[in-house]
Amino acid sequence: MKQLIGGFVLVLLFGACKSNNTVKILPIYGSRQAVTKTVNGQQVTDTVYQTIPAFTFVNQYGDSTGSKNLQGDVYVADFFFTTCPTICPVMQRNMLNVYNAFKDTAGFKIISYTIDPKHDTVPVLKKYADKLGISGNSWWFLRGDKDIVYDMAAKNYLVAVSQDSTAAGGYIHQGYFVLVDKQKRVRGAYDGTDMKQVNQLIDDIKTLRAEPAAK
Amino acid sequence: MKLKIIGSICLIFVALVYSCQSDASIEFNRYYSSGNMVYQNHCQNCHGAKGEGLADLIPPLTDTAMLKNYSIALPCIIKTGLKAEIKVSGKSFDGEMPAANLSPIEIAQVVTYVTNSFGNKQGLTNSDQVGVDLGKCGQ
């Protein structure tokens, strides 16, 4: 009997150790396809994942920025507009926690795309950033062509965004924070209005930053 | 045994106190708890669960002196929104507050909630008062 208990405890301990040692790997979202190519005369099949396409927009400082400036960065993206009366203030309040956790971390950025580029001009975005207390280059508020932004939201970031004159503020959008890895693949989506999920995001950013860049 | 007696005496005492609550405080509690729901549905996204506001974008609701100064204007501000710049807790805010389509009773409830939460303690604002105040902005 004693041996049995001893064995049981051992198994328990082993189990505990095991779960501590497993490295968490975040899932990769989006469509994927197997691509077969010939390398050195041998057929090699590789999985190609969906990535965020190249884009060039303008940030709150009036600088032209885009995917080129995100090379090798882990970043979080969301969609908002400065006059949004509904979920944006909650999202930005939570995103401020993410900002404060990583603002001095190189290789990490927050990208907020405006979905109302007509109103949210560069000076408007700058003022908004200033009032939120954002400085430096770790959180960009980007303004780009509306159609491209909406298209990217739906197809690449998998976030629904639409214009609707009946909605408060004139737009409907989901409050997801989308986590993108160094290879521009979507690795997570978190409800930006839910503090618990945002705390999970902060943990996952650390996990993702520790992930080796090479496949 | 002794504990049981003491316990039941306490219980009776609590029940007595509760049933003796004045009409005024029952009315206040009803306004306050309904106001909490109105606040969650119409105000909390921007002003926050603790009335903390958001940085320099959205003013907090913790400036008691200011709330007192604005007590007559509050119903109109809630009903029709606010575009003018205001100073709250020493900071100036110039963003636009959207109009909330609320009835006078809902406005009274939420004003009661806000002016008695987040460190404020200004008592009941009833719907009659709100009706009078709304008249001042033609509502």
Side-chain angles (χ1 to χ4, degrees):
Chain A
M1 188 61 194
K2 244 186 189 165
Q3 269 181 331
L4 205 72
I5 292 173
F8 190 66
V9 167
L10 220 87
V11 167
L12 268 182
L13 277 176
F14 185 70
C17 286
K18 207 176 160 196
S19 67
N20 279 345
N21 286 341
T22 31
V23 179
K24 190 183 170 195
I25 295 174
L26 302 175
I28 300 171
Y29 291 96
S31 60
R32 61 191 65 183
Q33 53 192 137
V35 173
T36 309
K37 47 187 173 184
T38 315
V39 179
N40 297 334
Q42 275 188 323
Q43 291 260 310
V44 179
T45 305
D46 210 354
T47 312
V48 174
Y49 294 94
Q50 185 177 335
T51 55
I52 306 293
F55 61 88
T56 306
F57 294 153
V58 177
N59 68 13
Q60 72 266 36
Y61 303 111
D63 299 330
S64 167
T65 44
S67 39
K68 256 196 236 157
N69 308 78
L70 293 165
Q71 215 71 263
D73 285 352
V74 165
Y75 71 92
V76 176
D78 74 348
F79 294 84
F80 85 112
F81 57 110
T82 59
T83 50
C84 165
T86 52
I87 57 174
C88 306
V90 188
M91 290 166 64
Q92 306 301 43
R93 194 176 286 125
N94 289 332
M95 192 66 104
L96 268 175
N97 291 343
V98 180
Y99 171 76
N100 287 325
F102 297 103
K103 63 180 169 189
D104 300 320
T105 309
F108 175 79
K109 274 195 173 57
I110 299 170
I111 305 292
S112 288
Y113 295 94
T114 175
I115 59 171
D116 184 9
K118 201 172 153 199
H119 176 270
D120 294 343
T121 55
V122 168
V124 171
L125 291 174
K126 176 68 168 64
K127 196 173 169 194
Y128 185 82
D130 286 347
K131 293 198 162 199
L132 258 183
I134 309 305
S135 58
N137 280 295
S138 51
W139 188 345
W140 280 336
F141 296 86
L142 295 187
R143 175 176 188 263
D145 182 88
K146 192 173 151 189
D147 292 336
I148 298 176
V149 171
Y150 281 43
D151 211 48
M152 276 177 78
K155 289 191 189 139
N156 304 112
Y157 288 110
L158 317 171
V159 176
V161 170
S162 62
Q163 191 160 6
D164 182 345
S165 55
T166 62
Y171 298 88
I172 298 177
H173 64 129
Q174 290 178 317
Y176 283 112
F177 291 170
V178 181
L179 179 59
V180 180
D181 71 9
K182 296 167 192 165
Q183 289 106 287
K184 307 198 186 310
R185 302 173 301 190
V186 173
R187 301 298 293 272
Y190 310 80
D191 182 350
T193 61
D194 181 348
M195 192 115 78
K196 262 192 217 143
Q197 290 199 30
V198 174
N199 287 337
Q200 181 64 49
L201 165 64
I202 291 175
D203 283 347
D204 287 355
I205 291 168
K206 290 173 189 157
T207 306
L208 198 54
R209 279 179 43 76
E211 190 173 89
K215 287 182 243 179
Chain B
M1 190 60 200
K2 215 176 181 182
L3 208 73
K4 255 189 189 167
I5 293 172
I6 294 173
S8 36
I9 289 173
C10 283
L11 208 74
I12 289 167
F13 188 72
V14 166
L16 272 176
V17 168
Y18 195 73
S19 63
C20 286
Q21 249 185 349
S22 67
D23 284 352
S25 83
I26 290 173
E27 193 185 16
F28 173 83
N29 288 342
R30 207 182 308 140
Y31 268 77
Y32 185 85
S33 56
S34 305
N36 186 5
M37 296 309 295
V38 177
Y39 184 80
Q40 283 179 31
N41 291 332
H42 296 274
C43 320
Q44 187 168 307
N45 273 349
C46 292
H47 289 289
K50 298 184 206 94
E52 74 272 29
L54 178 58
D56 291 352
L57 278 173
I58 296 157
L61 302 171
T62 51
D63 186 341
T64 290
M66 149 118 199
L67 284 175
K68 217 166 226 158
N69 287 341
Y70 273 73
S71 63
I72 290 168
L74 275 181
C76 282
I77 291 175
I78 293 166
K79 180 87 185 176
T80 61
L82 185 68
K83 273 184 184 156
E85 184 172 336
I86 50 165
K87 252 197 157 153
V88 182
S89 305
K91 280 195 284 191
S92 114
F93 295 87
D94 62 359
E96 183 182 341
M97 172 166 133
N101 193 20
L102 297 174
S103 64
I105 179 75
E106 286 173 311
I107 292 174
Q109 287 162 347
V110 81
V111 168
T112 299
Y113 177 74
V114 167
T115 55
N116 292 281
S117 304
F118 324 129
N120 307 312
K121 204 156 186 58
Q122 296 173 18
L124 176 76
T125 300
N126 66 23
S127 59
D128 293 344
Q129 186 56 49
V130 165
V132 172
D133 293 343
L134 282 177
K136 287 170 188 148
C137 58
Q139 290 292 319

